Amino acid sequence: SQTIHQWPATLVQPVGSPLSLECTVEGTSNPNLYWYRQAAGRGLQLLFYSVGIGQISSEVPQNLSASRPQDRQFILSSKKLLLSDSGFYLCAWSGDGQGTYNEQFFGPGTRLTVL
Amino acid sequence: QKEVEQDPGPLSVPEGAIVSLNCTYSNSAFQYFMWYRQYSRKGPELLMYTYSSGNKEDGRFTAQVDKSSKYISLFIRDSQPSDSATYLCAALSGGYNKLIFGAGTRLAVHP
């Protein structure tokens, strides 16, 4: 079976500090990977997606970046956090093994508070 | 206009009630629709996945798509307190399976 992990679970960071959030998927190969952000009381906004190692597409221009150094690893980064970066960050995957590439499965999320 | 619109609620119902959750969408090219359930401070969980128009049933849950009116619905029969959560509708867009989400409807089922 497939599992998706995210860490850390919660994070409190000062404005201007760097950020690194990690997501890994087990039990599948060549998944599509996604980063979403959910602001309080709002739906999910797609930030980045990746269809393969080193292939990153950005949906929303901002001070965040993403990287995919390995097939099942997806990293969300920032050099300098802004207050507006606070939110619930969710990683998702789709692909073979569970459903189809149409169905996305989410991780447990990282709650980021920027002070 | 948002591509997927959803009434945020909250919706409060007694245990055993039939719940109807609804979304509308604007892009007639959307073909695949999803419903996710999200408990507080957790990641969304995929509940139902439907293609084009029609109904799909899974236990107490029924997903319905009406492409002529661009309307998608989720019905929950015999609702339970454990169904209390936020329900998110989503439409699949584009070649890389980008999901467009509604804002989510918060549901509370009270005993």
Side-chain angles (χ1 to χ4, degrees), chain A residues 13-19 63 78-83 85 114-115:
Chain A
Q13 292 285 93
V15 169
S17 64
L19 173 74
N63 70 320
S78 174
K79 292 181 180 178
K80 287 187 177 182
L81 284 168
L82 306 173
L83 285 173
D85 291 324
V114 182
L115 302 175

Side-chain angles (χ1 to χ4, degrees), chain B residues 54-94:
Chain B
N55 292 0
K56 184 175 182 179
E57 189 173 321
D58 184 2
R60 296 185 294 111
F61 298 90
T62 300
Q64 191 173 80
V65 177
D66 183 346
K67 293 203 75 181
S68 62
S69 58
K70 299 190 183 70
Y71 204 78
I72 54 178
S73 302
L74 179 71
F75 298 97
I76 307 175
R77 292 184 299 280
D78 187 26
S79 57
Q80 304 294 309
S82 58
D83 295 328
S84 299
T86 295
Y87 290 81
L88 299 155
C89 63
L92 200 62
S93 171

